[in-house]
Amino acid sequence: RESQVASLFIAPLELSCRRDRMLADAREQVERSIARGEPASTERLAELAAPLIEEGLLCQLRDPFHEARLDAAATRDGHAHFRTLQQLPDMLLPNLDWHDFLKAIDHDQGRFMKTPFPQGLAKSLGKGIFVLDSHGVLYCGTKVRGVFHHSSFVRGHCVKVAGGLTIVDGWLKTLSPHSGHYQPGQEHVDDMIDDWKGKGVDFGQVELKPYLKNKT
């Protein structure tokens, strides 16, 4: 069973590692071009971007609404004008320069996050996560930032509870009901714990993390 579970990570990990290499190579090419004083022509940018766009990267260089998406909608209609863009174009936005290209690479590598995406073997050192789906099925696995998250278990569908856990030699050691994607309610967490206790899970030595994560 462990081999079957591990096999689920092979494809997304291979995809992530391939994208890492492509982004690193693109960064190197851009930095060499800058060092040589090469102009950021439309043709040169398109040439560098083409393989990355095929991988679904560099979205902010193709999305005219990228910056606006970061802000909450000002009206009840939401961001209705975004819906005119059914899918991102393959063409780059006009008037881009090397700085824009590097910024997009930084974005795709998670460099603007508090903790950037892990690289190489560090991808396999993620923490344990779980999801209790809307039908009561429990999924457990290893979080791989930028590759595999809570929503990956159920392809983004609704769940009852999601969070982190630590299991050692078959024993539950820690349980933390934190999920930025799903943000489970306290009552759902309590119901899940009561259900687990009723099924024989021993919480006597389990460290229960608080429902609200301490930001300080």
Side-chain angles (χ1 to χ4, degrees):
R1 185 174 63 178
E2 291 180 356
S3 297
Q4 292 176 333
V5 172
S7 67
L8 298 175
F9 291 86
I10 293 177
L13 278 174
E14 288 179 342
L15 172 64
S16 178
C17 289
R18 182 173 71 249
R19 287 179 170 178
D20 286 347
R21 292 192 295 269
M22 294 176 68
L23 288 167
D25 180 65
R27 177 184 296 278
E28 184 177 339
Q29 292 189 60
V30 170
E31 290 175 345
R32 284 204 303 264
S33 295
I34 293 174
R36 291 195 300 264
E38 179 182 342
S41 65
T42 300
E43 295 75 18
R44 179 56 174 151
L45 291 176
E47 178 187 3
L48 288 173
L52 298 176
I53 291 175
E54 288 184 11
E55 288 288 329
L57 299 168
L58 303 183
C59 293
Q60 72 181 75
L61 297 186
R62 300 179 282 137
D63 183 2
F65 303 125
H66 177 76
E67 294 296 332
R69 293 182 197 279
L70 302 179
D71 298 326
T75 69
R76 295 180 59 184
D77 293 332
H79 298 100
H81 57 291
F82 292 171
R83 301 177 194 131
T84 61
L85 187 67
Q86 297 298 318
Q87 64 181 27
L88 288 182
D90 293 334
M91 301 291 291
L92 297 177
L93 297 172
N95 304 317
L96 299 176
D97 58 23
W98 292 127
H99 172 74
D100 296 319
F101 208 101
L102 286 176
K103 184 179 179 181
I105 292 175
D106 286 340
H107 177 272
D108 286 346
Q109 290 181 326
R111 294 196 176 194
F112 297 124
M113 304 176 71
K114 182 178 180 180
T115 304
F117 292 145
Q119 304 291 314
L121 293 177
K123 292 180 182 293
S124 64
L125 303 178
K127 65 179 182 179
I129 57 174
F130 76 92
V131 157
L132 184 69
D133 75 8
S134 56
H135 302 288
V137 178
L138 178 67
Y139 299 86
C140 298
T142 301
K143 178 178 180 178
V144 183
R145 293 183 65 244
V147 178
F148 196 89
H149 308 88
H150 288 124
S151 57
S152 304
F153 288 112
V154 291
R155 298 183 179 182
H157 290 290
C158 297
V159 306
K160 291 181 178 179
V161 184
L165 47 62
T166 303
I167 298 176
V168 179
D169 296 331
W171 293 91
L172 181 63
K173 294 297 183 181
T174 65
L175 180 67
S176 54
H178 305 140
S179 172
H181 183 91
Y182 288 109
Q183 299 181 359
Q186 180 66 64
E187 66 278 10
H188 297 111
V189 175
D190 293 340
D191 289 344
M192 181 192 71
I193 292 175
D194 289 341
D195 179 61
W196 288 7
K197 288 181 178 178
K199 292 177 179 177
V201 177
D202 182 7
F203 276 80
Q205 301 298 319
V206 176
E207 179 187 2
L208 288 175
K209 301 292 182 68
Y211 169 66
L212 295 176
K213 185 179 292 186
N214 187 359
K215 297 292 185 178
T216 60

